[in-house]
């Protein structure tokens, strides 16, 4: 956004300065390349917008009065909103990807656990079958030992 430096009177009235030192103040560029803010005429230095152009005047971070056209201010605000919307959209897309990855990991972990449980159940059945066979053999060998006496 293009800003234009503005020069005030040599001696500023303190009450006026307190009123205008915060925020942006609406004004219109006059034919004499000056803007009037709350009754005080401020002169535009060097280059300036065309007479009749609506501007906003404010005190910049360095403590000097500057102005910019309302059209430039609105364009800068629109660009900022668009950039903010793009950042928000990217953030949401990133969160959606992370959520999808987490859900996929959770599903695969659940499937792995289900396979392990199914495999361990099968192993238990096999083990139970082996124990039964071993128990049956032990019983038969116990009968043989008893018959030997």
């Amino acid at each position: 956004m293009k800003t234009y430096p503005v020069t005030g009177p040599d001696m500023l009235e303190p009450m006026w300065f307190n009123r205008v030192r915060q925020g942006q103040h609406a004004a219109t560029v006059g034919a004499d390349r000056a803007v009037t803010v709350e009754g005080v005429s401020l002169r535009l230095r060097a280059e300036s917008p065309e007479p009749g152009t609506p501007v906003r005047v404010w005190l910049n971070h360095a403590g000097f009065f500057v102005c910019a056209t309302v059209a430039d201010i609105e364009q800068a605000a629109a660009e900022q909103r668009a950039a903010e919307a793009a950042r928000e959209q990217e953030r949401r897309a990133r969160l959606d990807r992370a959520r999808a990855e987490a859900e996929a990991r959770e599903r695969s972990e659940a499937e792995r656990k289900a396979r392990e449980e199914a495999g361990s159940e099968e192993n238990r059945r096999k083990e139970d079958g082996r124990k039964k066979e071993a128990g049956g053999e032990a019983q038969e060998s116990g009968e043989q030992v008893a018959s030997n006496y």
Side-chain angles (χ1 to χ4, degrees), residues 90-102:
E90 174 58 31
R91 184 183 74 82
R92 285 185 180 173
R94 195 172 49 248
L95 289 173
D96 288 344
R97 284 192 304 271
R99 185 180 308 111
E101 289 172 5

Side-chain angles (χ1 to χ4, degrees), residues 19 26 38 41 45 51 66-67 72 77 80 118 124 127 130 141:
R19 284 193 310 267
E38 293 197 23
S41 181
R45 298 188 215 160
V66 294
C67 73
D72 286 350
Q80 186 176 5
R124 260 188 256 128
E127 188 65 30
R130 286 187 205 127
S141 64

Side-chain angles (χ1 to χ4, degrees), residues 38-66:
E38 293 197 23
V40 175
S41 181
L42 305 171
R43 293 177 313 281
L44 287 157
R45 298 188 215 160
E47 63 180 275
S48 65
E50 295 294 319
T53 304
V55 295
R56 295 216 183 263
V57 179
W58 69 92
L59 197 62
N60 69 7
H61 67 282
F64 296 102
F65 282 104
V66 294

Side-chain angles (χ1 to χ4, degrees), residues 134-145:
E137 290 174 7
Q139 212 173 27
E140 288 176 8
S141 64
E143 290 173 3
Q144 287 176 357
V145 170

Side-chain angles (χ1 to χ4, degrees), residues 112-130:
R112 185 186 62 77
K113 284 183 179 180
R115 283 193 306 269
E116 284 178 1
E117 288 176 5
S120 64
E121 182 64 32
E122 188 176 317
N123 288 342
R124 260 188 256 128
R125 279 191 229 127
K126 287 180 183 177
E127 188 65 30
D128 287 346
R130 286 187 205 127

